[in-house]
Amino acid sequence: LTTSKQKDQENLQTLLFFFFFLSSSVREIALQGLRDFKLTDMDVIKLEELLSRRSQDLRRGIIQLLLGLPDNLLIESARRLMVHKGKNQRLVALEILEKCKQNQRFPDHVQLLALEYSQNSQLSASETQILNRIQRDAERTYTLDDALGLLNPDNLTRPIPVKPGKSSEIKL
């Protein structure tokens, strides 16, 4: 199925079925095949339900699949996961927002969704930690122009250009 040229609904449903297996090797092969398919809303909702499991490889695979979605579907998925009653689903929503921020993918929506999520009165320590990373401004990159962050180039005095004088006109 993973090497099949046909990308029809039957193959998609079969790969999704294999993705539900407990074996990580079967899930890994199904994940490779699912990367080539265009997922629908119902497929995404099925994958979101799997996040209640504790398997880390399953979680990473679903996050990769969700990050491959178009922006509007990814935002919808993140919103659904943010309001989910399961802690694992809410943490995945924050991880998705963090990855989107790192990749500069719809940064305005990421900040708004993070702010919306932070209004939740009962945040766990891990949720607070991820939210702080999302809401923190982009870290400053240091260059040689600012002496690796040791000085502010705007505070430097500007050199005065040298005007040509009489001595520069004399030929040897």
Side-chain angles (χ1 to χ4, degrees):
L1 286 174
T2 59
T3 58
S4 173
K5 299 286 184 205
Q6 292 181 337
K7 305 297 180 200
D8 60 356
Q9 191 66 20
E10 184 179 336
N11 286 350
L12 173 63
Q13 294 307 320
T14 305
L15 286 171
L16 283 172
F17 175 75
F18 286 135
F19 205 68
F20 281 83
F21 272 68
L22 294 177
S23 170
S24 62
S25 59
V26 172
R27 278 197 305 261
E28 183 64 33
I29 293 170
L31 174 65
Q32 290 173 359
L34 283 172
R35 288 185 182 141
D36 298 332
F37 283 91
K38 184 177 180 179
L39 299 175
T40 64
D41 285 338
M42 292 306 296
D43 300 330
V44 172
I45 291 172
K46 286 180 187 177
L47 291 173
E48 290 170 1
E49 291 171 5
L50 286 174
L51 291 169
S52 61
R53 296 184 185 175
R54 295 188 182 267
S55 173
Q56 289 298 319
D57 66 319
L58 177 66
R59 178 188 182 109
R60 281 190 305 270
I62 292 174
I63 290 173
Q64 288 175 0
L65 286 174
L66 293 177
L67 287 172
L69 293 173
D71 289 350
N72 58 346
L73 290 178
L74 182 59
I75 291 171
E76 288 176 24
S77 177
R79 283 188 186 277
R80 275 193 305 269
L81 290 169
M82 284 172 48
V83 297
H84 200 278
K85 62 182 176 184
K87 181 182 176 183
N88 288 342
Q89 285 89 339
R90 291 192 311 268
L91 283 173
V92 166
L94 290 176
E95 288 179 36
I96 288 171
L97 292 178
E98 185 177 24
K99 296 269 188 200
C100 289
K101 181 186 178 197
Q102 291 171 355
N103 297 334
Q104 297 297 318
R105 191 170 173 188
F106 51 85
D108 297 334
H109 284 346
V110 168
Q111 292 299 329
L112 287 173
L113 289 172
L115 182 63
E116 182 181 315
Y117 190 88
S118 65
Q119 303 302 320
N120 187 352
S121 60
Q122 300 174 352
L123 295 175
S124 69
S126 55
E127 289 171 322
T128 305
Q129 185 179 25
I130 295 173
L131 273 173
N132 289 339
R133 286 195 307 252
I134 292 171
Q135 292 174 337
R136 183 176 50 208
D137 289 335
E139 292 187 22
R140 186 172 175 213
T141 56
Y142 300 113
T143 63
L144 292 178
D145 293 333
D146 64 356
L148 301 175
L150 296 175
L151 61 88
N152 184 355
D154 297 332
N155 293 340
L156 295 175
T157 57
R158 304 285 176 224
I160 301 171
V162 178
K163 296 180 182 177
K166 293 180 184 177
S167 61
S168 65
E169 295 175 2
I170 300 175
K171 294 184 181 180
L172 298 176

